[in-house]
Amino acid sequence: MKIEKNLEVQKGNAWPLGVSKTERGMNFAIAVDLREPFILKITTAAQIYEIPMHEYHVIGDVFAVTVRLRESYFEYEYIAGSIRLRDNYARGLASASVWGEARPEKTYCYWNKKFDWKEDRPLEIPCHDLVMYKLHVRGFTQHPTSKVRHPGTFLGVAEKAGYLKSLGVNCVELMPAAEFDEMTAENENLYVIPGKQPESYKMNYWGYGRAFYFAPKAAYAAGPCPQEEFKKMVRTLHEAGIEVVMEFSFEEDTNKNLIAACLRYWAEEYHVDGFHINSACVPLDLIVTDPVLARVKLFGEYFNIDDSKNIHLPAGYKHLAVYHDEYEVCCRRFLKGDGNMTEYFSNLLRANGRSVSFVRYLANHNGMRLWDMVTYDEKHNEANKENNKDGTDYNYSWNCGTEGETKRRKVLDLRKQQIRNAWMFILINQGIPLIYAGDEFGHTQQGNNNPYCQDNEISWIDWSKMRKNRAMLDMVRRLIVFRKSHPMMHMEKPLRMMDYLSCGYPDFSMHGTLPWKPELSEKSRFMGTMYCGKYAHFEGAEDDFIYVAYNMHWESKEVHLPILPKTLSWVCEEDTTGRMVTGEFVTSCEMAPRSVAVFVSRTRIEHEQPES
């Protein structure tokens, strides 16, 4: 043991890297391929300490010391000559607490404070039961209409837990919320000075790219301790029955051991339930076999689990889910009436993986909003100052007759009708539905399909639209309740289109305007789908038969529904036009142009009215 300026110092532990608390004190461990001397500089409220780290080599490239510190808060940094060494395992940044403030010098801090988790534990909701909600921590509550006490923060998200619960979602995905530098210019070595931004400067509002992956973003905290506020948010959401998934955009050259350690740290320290990861650089074989992460959900753009040269999942492993824009593209094309989409749509509608689940959405952060999808034919990214050349050129959108906002009643009515249809596509399918925050009440980005640099009302959720579009919000809530009440709508295993129960009906079947005769030609724009409730149970009883009719044609269709067992008849549960009478027995119906309707089986005895 040595005494450095009245500070007890001794050789530390090589693992874990970063800063951790031990019985002997605070352990500082850093891995650097460096042979020249460097120092650990610790700054407390009372004193500054400098420790020669080259004297504390532990093993390999790891240097570590354990020091006795009485202070609960301190800052530290590693310095080699005039260079500051980056601690990739830093748990927090000392100079990053103000959003949008230039910070040319980065120093690291560690907050040594216990947190009362109360009775919190992982919710472990099965993937097939999830209804996801994706949000940007700052943009979710930064707008004045959010009416939260702590706008743009983790606590602001926690304040909206009641709203999220009332909506019916049970999983929130956070866009990157680890410590990233939103002020990084196009030149990574150029730090922005307030009032003197270079012409090329654009804010990294979304947060993708290089980050300190172990540190919650300090600018997303209302107070001095983002670690504690992140935990409060997780605990509050868990109390509301809502899981928390974090999105990480690891750089391709990120050390695989760091990635695994990062996910393990957030799951253990912050009780995070899952991670959306960029699959290309993540060591999936290492993660799925890690006992700490055995029940943690993993979301990615793809997983090569079927290739014999790649990973084999442990027996019973059911925690992988794939994001893919195939469903988004197909649904948008079918919605606007493109030909040759009917069979493609119905196959995707029932698709469900054996080893993985599928995340289904019609709008995500990298594309047009749901409302913009029916309002603009073309992207409008002029605010990004890239001559409208950024973002995808084709969004499979349709403006319903007029580009942009309008007061024309006929156009507005058609747009609202198309949005109602879109919600049917999102919430009535066999995958995991994902709602992009604000879409449930018609938030717009004014046609911008790539607002990665827009820290303003283009990206901030305008909560006043919740009152203006109450009918849309109510429909979303109804559909989520309907989905949760019918396990046939979210089966754990793939639907087989077979009568493997010998009950007279397959689990899933496709129909045309006449039962059992699907119309799959290029010109067809109608599809009927039936789910047989005998293949699933809800609260101890068989589920209902469910028939969903999709008419994406610009003409009405006379539709005949399949014949049910003798004691059952069809009633309309939901109709996107609002013209059908709900609760009335039907055997056929006239489907209005561009409409969707849901019918459910009911026994006649339950609904017959007593004689007067």
PDB file of all heavy atoms in Angstrom, residues 11-15 17 29-32 35 56-64:
ATOM      1  N   LYS A  11      -2.594  -1.757  -5.459  1.00  0.00           N
ATOM      2  CA  LYS A  11      -2.906  -2.367  -6.751  1.00  0.00           C
ATOM      3  C   LYS A  11      -4.347  -2.853  -6.746  1.00  0.00           C
ATOM      4  O   LYS A  11      -4.821  -3.442  -5.781  1.00  0.00           O
ATOM      5  CB  LYS A  11      -1.960  -3.520  -7.034  1.00  0.00           C
ATOM      6  CG  LYS A  11      -2.173  -4.162  -8.407  1.00  0.00           C
ATOM      7  CD  LYS A  11      -1.165  -5.260  -8.698  1.00  0.00           C
ATOM      8  CE  LYS A  11       0.201  -4.653  -8.993  1.00  0.00           C
ATOM      9  NZ  LYS A  11       1.156  -5.708  -9.481  1.00  0.00           N
ATOM     10  N   GLY A  12      -5.034  -2.629  -7.844  1.00  0.00           N
ATOM     11  CA  GLY A  12      -6.456  -2.935  -7.909  1.00  0.00           C
ATOM     12  C   GLY A  12      -6.767  -4.234  -8.612  1.00  0.00           C
ATOM     13  O   GLY A  12      -5.885  -5.054  -8.894  1.00  0.00           O
ATOM     14  N   ASN A  13      -8.050  -4.416  -8.940  1.00  0.00           N
ATOM     15  CA  ASN A  13      -8.542  -5.604  -9.626  1.00  0.00           C
ATOM     16  C   ASN A  13      -8.695  -5.328 -11.115  1.00  0.00           C
ATOM     17  O   ASN A  13      -9.144  -4.247 -11.518  1.00  0.00           O
ATOM     18  CB  ASN A  13      -9.885  -6.038  -9.043  1.00  0.00           C
ATOM     19  CG  ASN A  13      -9.822  -6.288  -7.553  1.00  0.00           C
ATOM     20  OD1 ASN A  13      -8.860  -6.866  -7.052  1.00  0.00           O
ATOM     21  ND2 ASN A  13     -10.847  -5.845  -6.829  1.00  0.00           N
ATOM     22  N   ALA A  14      -8.347  -6.294 -11.916  1.00  0.00           N
ATOM     23  CA  ALA A  14      -8.429  -6.116 -13.370  1.00  0.00           C
ATOM     24  C   ALA A  14      -9.863  -6.095 -13.869  1.00  0.00           C
ATOM     25  O   ALA A  14     -10.147  -5.571 -14.942  1.00  0.00           O
ATOM     26  CB  ALA A  14      -7.653  -7.223 -14.070  1.00  0.00           C
ATOM     27  N   TRP A  15     -10.782  -6.631 -13.099  1.00  0.00           N
ATOM     28  CA  TRP A  15     -12.187  -6.719 -13.551  1.00  0.00           C
ATOM     29  C   TRP A  15     -13.112  -6.398 -12.398  1.00  0.00           C
ATOM     30  O   TRP A  15     -12.841  -6.808 -11.273  1.00  0.00           O
ATOM     31  CB  TRP A  15     -12.468  -8.123 -14.084  1.00  0.00           C
ATOM     32  CG  TRP A  15     -13.764  -8.199 -14.839  1.00  0.00           C
ATOM     33  CD1 TRP A  15     -14.945  -8.668 -14.378  1.00  0.00           C
ATOM     34  CD2 TRP A  15     -14.000  -7.759 -16.173  1.00  0.00           C
ATOM     35  NE1 TRP A  15     -15.912  -8.561 -15.352  1.00  0.00           N
ATOM     36  CE2 TRP A  15     -15.346  -7.998 -16.462  1.00  0.00           C
ATOM     37  CE3 TRP A  15     -13.189  -7.172 -17.148  1.00  0.00           C
ATOM     38  CZ2 TRP A  15     -15.919  -7.690 -17.693  1.00  0.00           C
ATOM     39  CZ3 TRP A  15     -13.758  -6.869 -18.373  1.00  0.00           C
ATOM     40  CH2 TRP A  15     -15.110  -7.123 -18.638  1.00  0.00           C
ATOM     41  N   LEU A  17     -13.747  -3.608 -15.569  1.00  0.00           N
ATOM     42  CA  LEU A  17     -13.122  -2.373 -16.037  1.00  0.00           C
ATOM     43  C   LEU A  17     -14.010  -1.185 -15.685  1.00  0.00           C
ATOM     44  O   LEU A  17     -15.207  -1.333 -15.428  1.00  0.00           O
ATOM     45  CB  LEU A  17     -12.888  -2.436 -17.544  1.00  0.00           C
ATOM     46  CG  LEU A  17     -11.868  -3.486 -18.013  1.00  0.00           C
ATOM     47  CD1 LEU A  17     -11.882  -3.601 -19.524  1.00  0.00           C
ATOM     48  CD2 LEU A  17     -10.473  -3.156 -17.503  1.00  0.00           C
ATOM     49  N   ALA A  29     -10.012   0.695 -13.048  1.00  0.00           N
ATOM     50  CA  ALA A  29      -9.357  -0.240 -13.961  1.00  0.00           C
ATOM     51  C   ALA A  29      -9.539   0.236 -15.390  1.00  0.00           C
ATOM     52  O   ALA A  29     -10.662   0.547 -15.813  1.00  0.00           O
ATOM     53  CB  ALA A  29      -9.914  -1.648 -13.791  1.00  0.00           C
ATOM     54  N   ILE A  30      -8.449   0.278 -16.128  1.00  0.00           N
ATOM     55  CA  ILE A  30      -8.517   0.718 -17.518  1.00  0.00           C
ATOM     56  C   ILE A  30      -7.596  -0.158 -18.358  1.00  0.00           C
ATOM     57  O   ILE A  30      -6.511  -0.549 -17.919  1.00  0.00           O
ATOM     58  CB  ILE A  30      -8.112   2.202 -17.674  1.00  0.00           C
ATOM     59  CG1 ILE A  30      -8.304   2.660 -19.127  1.00  0.00           C
ATOM     60  CG2 ILE A  30      -6.698   2.459 -17.176  1.00  0.00           C
ATOM     61  CD1 ILE A  30      -8.133   4.151 -19.327  1.00  0.00           C
ATOM     62  N   ALA A  31      -8.057  -0.517 -19.557  1.00  0.00           N
ATOM     63  CA  ALA A  31      -7.258  -1.311 -20.484  1.00  0.00           C
ATOM     64  C   ALA A  31      -6.706  -0.383 -21.560  1.00  0.00           C
ATOM     65  O   ALA A  31      -7.473   0.221 -22.319  1.00  0.00           O
ATOM     66  CB  ALA A  31      -8.103  -2.408 -21.111  1.00  0.00           C
ATOM     67  N   VAL A  32      -5.387  -0.247 -21.601  1.00  0.00           N
ATOM     68  CA  VAL A  32      -4.745   0.616 -22.598  1.00  0.00           C
ATOM     69  C   VAL A  32      -3.484  -0.065 -23.117  1.00  0.00           C
ATOM     70  O   VAL A  32      -2.722  -0.658 -22.344  1.00  0.00           O
ATOM     71  CB  VAL A  32      -4.392   2.003 -22.017  1.00  0.00           C
ATOM     72  CG1 VAL A  32      -5.639   2.813 -21.757  1.00  0.00           C
ATOM     73  CG2 VAL A  32      -3.569   1.882 -20.752  1.00  0.00           C
ATOM     74  N   ARG A  35       2.714   2.055 -23.264  1.00  0.00           N
ATOM     75  CA  ARG A  35       3.928   1.746 -22.503  1.00  0.00           C
ATOM     76  C   ARG A  35       4.509   2.976 -21.823  1.00  0.00           C
ATOM     77  O   ARG A  35       5.362   2.843 -20.944  1.00  0.00           O
ATOM     78  CB  ARG A  35       4.979   1.125 -23.424  1.00  0.00           C
ATOM     79  CG  ARG A  35       4.535  -0.200 -24.034  1.00  0.00           C
ATOM     80  CD  ARG A  35       4.322  -1.275 -22.966  1.00  0.00           C
ATOM     81  NE  ARG A  35       3.820  -2.527 -23.529  1.00  0.00           N
ATOM     82  CZ  ARG A  35       2.561  -2.886 -23.518  1.00  0.00           C
ATOM     83  NH1 ARG A  35       1.641  -2.075 -22.992  1.00  0.00           N
ATOM     84  NH2 ARG A  35       2.167  -4.035 -24.031  1.00  0.00           N
ATOM     85  N   TYR A  56       1.002   0.577 -11.544  1.00  0.00           N
ATOM     86  CA  TYR A  56      -0.015  -0.359 -11.069  1.00  0.00           C
ATOM     87  C   TYR A  56      -0.532  -1.247 -12.200  1.00  0.00           C
ATOM     88  O   TYR A  56      -1.720  -1.434 -12.388  1.00  0.00           O
ATOM     89  CB  TYR A  56      -1.176   0.416 -10.428  1.00  0.00           C
ATOM     90  CG  TYR A  56      -0.769   1.189  -9.206  1.00  0.00           C
ATOM     91  CD1 TYR A  56      -0.422   2.537  -9.310  1.00  0.00           C
ATOM     92  CD2 TYR A  56      -0.708   0.576  -7.971  1.00  0.00           C
ATOM     93  CE1 TYR A  56      -0.023   3.257  -8.192  1.00  0.00           C
ATOM     94  CE2 TYR A  56      -0.317   1.278  -6.843  1.00  0.00           C
ATOM     95  CZ  TYR A  56       0.029   2.618  -6.957  1.00  0.00           C
ATOM     96  OH  TYR A  56       0.429   3.318  -5.846  1.00  0.00           O
ATOM     97  N   HIS A  57       0.417  -1.804 -12.961  1.00  0.00           N
ATOM     98  CA  HIS A  57       0.052  -2.763 -14.005  1.00  0.00           C
ATOM     99  C   HIS A  57      -0.427  -4.049 -13.339  1.00  0.00           C
ATOM    100  O   HIS A  57       0.192  -4.562 -12.412  1.00  0.00           O
ATOM    101  CB  HIS A  57       1.245  -3.048 -14.909  1.00  0.00           C
ATOM    102  CG  HIS A  57       0.989  -4.122 -15.920  1.00  0.00           C
ATOM    103  ND1 HIS A  57       1.518  -5.399 -15.796  1.00  0.00           N
ATOM    104  CD2 HIS A  57       0.245  -4.127 -17.051  1.00  0.00           C
ATOM    105  CE1 HIS A  57       1.124  -6.131 -16.811  1.00  0.00           C
ATOM    106  NE2 HIS A  57       0.350  -5.382 -17.590  1.00  0.00           N
ATOM    107  N   VAL A  58      -1.563  -4.589 -13.809  1.00  0.00           N
ATOM    108  CA  VAL A  58      -2.137  -5.792 -13.208  1.00  0.00           C
ATOM    109  C   VAL A  58      -1.882  -7.017 -14.081  1.00  0.00           C
ATOM    110  O   VAL A  58      -1.214  -7.961 -13.687  1.00  0.00           O
ATOM    111  CB  VAL A  58      -3.644  -5.621 -12.952  1.00  0.00           C
ATOM    112  CG1 VAL A  58      -4.235  -6.879 -12.316  1.00  0.00           C
ATOM    113  CG2 VAL A  58      -3.891  -4.417 -12.056  1.00  0.00           C
ATOM    114  N   ILE A  59      -2.423  -7.003 -15.295  1.00  0.00           N
ATOM    115  CA  ILE A  59      -2.263  -8.133 -16.198  1.00  0.00           C
ATOM    116  C   ILE A  59      -2.616  -7.689 -17.610  1.00  0.00           C
ATOM    117  O   ILE A  59      -3.463  -6.813 -17.805  1.00  0.00           O
ATOM    118  CB  ILE A  59      -3.162  -9.322 -15.761  1.00  0.00           C
ATOM    119  CG1 ILE A  59      -2.831 -10.576 -16.575  1.00  0.00           C
ATOM    120  CG2 ILE A  59      -4.630  -8.959 -15.897  1.00  0.00           C
ATOM    121  CD1 ILE A  59      -3.541 -11.829 -16.059  1.00  0.00           C
ATOM    122  N   GLY A  60      -1.937  -8.251 -18.592  1.00  0.00           N
ATOM    123  CA  GLY A  60      -2.213  -7.890 -19.972  1.00  0.00           C
ATOM    124  C   GLY A  60      -2.055  -6.405 -20.197  1.00  0.00           C
ATOM    125  O   GLY A  60      -1.014  -5.823 -19.898  1.00  0.00           O
ATOM    126  N   ASP A  61      -3.113  -5.770 -20.727  1.00  0.00           N
ATOM    127  CA  ASP A  61      -3.096  -4.321 -20.933  1.00  0.00           C
ATOM    128  C   ASP A  61      -3.880  -3.579 -19.854  1.00  0.00           C
ATOM    129  O   ASP A  61      -4.248  -2.418 -20.033  1.00  0.00           O
ATOM    130  CB  ASP A  61      -3.709  -3.981 -22.303  1.00  0.00           C
ATOM    131  CG  ASP A  61      -2.796  -4.370 -23.456  1.00  0.00           C
ATOM    132  OD1 ASP A  61      -1.571  -4.430 -23.238  1.00  0.00           O
ATOM    133  OD2 ASP A  61      -3.318  -4.621 -24.564  1.00  0.00           O
ATOM    134  N   VAL A  62      -4.162  -4.241 -18.756  1.00  0.00           N
ATOM    135  CA  VAL A  62      -4.986  -3.646 -17.713  1.00  0.00           C
ATOM    136  C   VAL A  62      -4.124  -3.045 -16.603  1.00  0.00           C
ATOM    137  O   VAL A  62      -3.228  -3.701 -16.068  1.00  0.00           O
ATOM    138  CB  VAL A  62      -5.954  -4.678 -17.102  1.00  0.00           C
ATOM    139  CG1 VAL A  62      -6.780  -4.040 -15.990  1.00  0.00           C
ATOM    140  CG2 VAL A  62      -6.870  -5.244 -18.180  1.00  0.00           C
ATOM    141  N   PHE A  63      -4.429  -1.792 -16.277  1.00  0.00           N
ATOM    142  CA  PHE A  63      -3.823  -1.095 -15.146  1.00  0.00           C
ATOM    143  C   PHE A  63      -4.952  -0.786 -14.166  1.00  0.00           C
ATOM    144  O   PHE A  63      -6.022  -0.325 -14.568  1.00  0.00           O
ATOM    145  CB  PHE A  63      -3.150   0.198 -15.593  1.00  0.00           C
ATOM    146  CG  PHE A  63      -2.017  -0.009 -16.558  1.00  0.00           C
ATOM    147  CD1 PHE A  63      -2.257  -0.248 -17.908  1.00  0.00           C
ATOM    148  CD2 PHE A  63      -0.705   0.025 -16.121  1.00  0.00           C
ATOM    149  CE1 PHE A  63      -1.217  -0.444 -18.800  1.00  0.00           C
ATOM    150  CE2 PHE A  63       0.357  -0.170 -17.005  1.00  0.00           C
ATOM    151  CZ  PHE A  63       0.095  -0.410 -18.344  1.00  0.00           C
ATOM    152  N   ALA A  64      -4.710  -1.028 -12.886  1.00  0.00           N
ATOM    153  CA  ALA A  64      -5.784  -0.850 -11.914  1.00  0.00           C
ATOM    154  C   ALA A  64      -5.241  -0.457 -10.549  1.00  0.00           C
ATOM    155  O   ALA A  64      -4.199  -0.951 -10.116  1.00  0.00           O
ATOM    156  CB  ALA A  64      -6.620  -2.118 -11.799  1.00  0.00           C
TER     157      ALA A  64
END
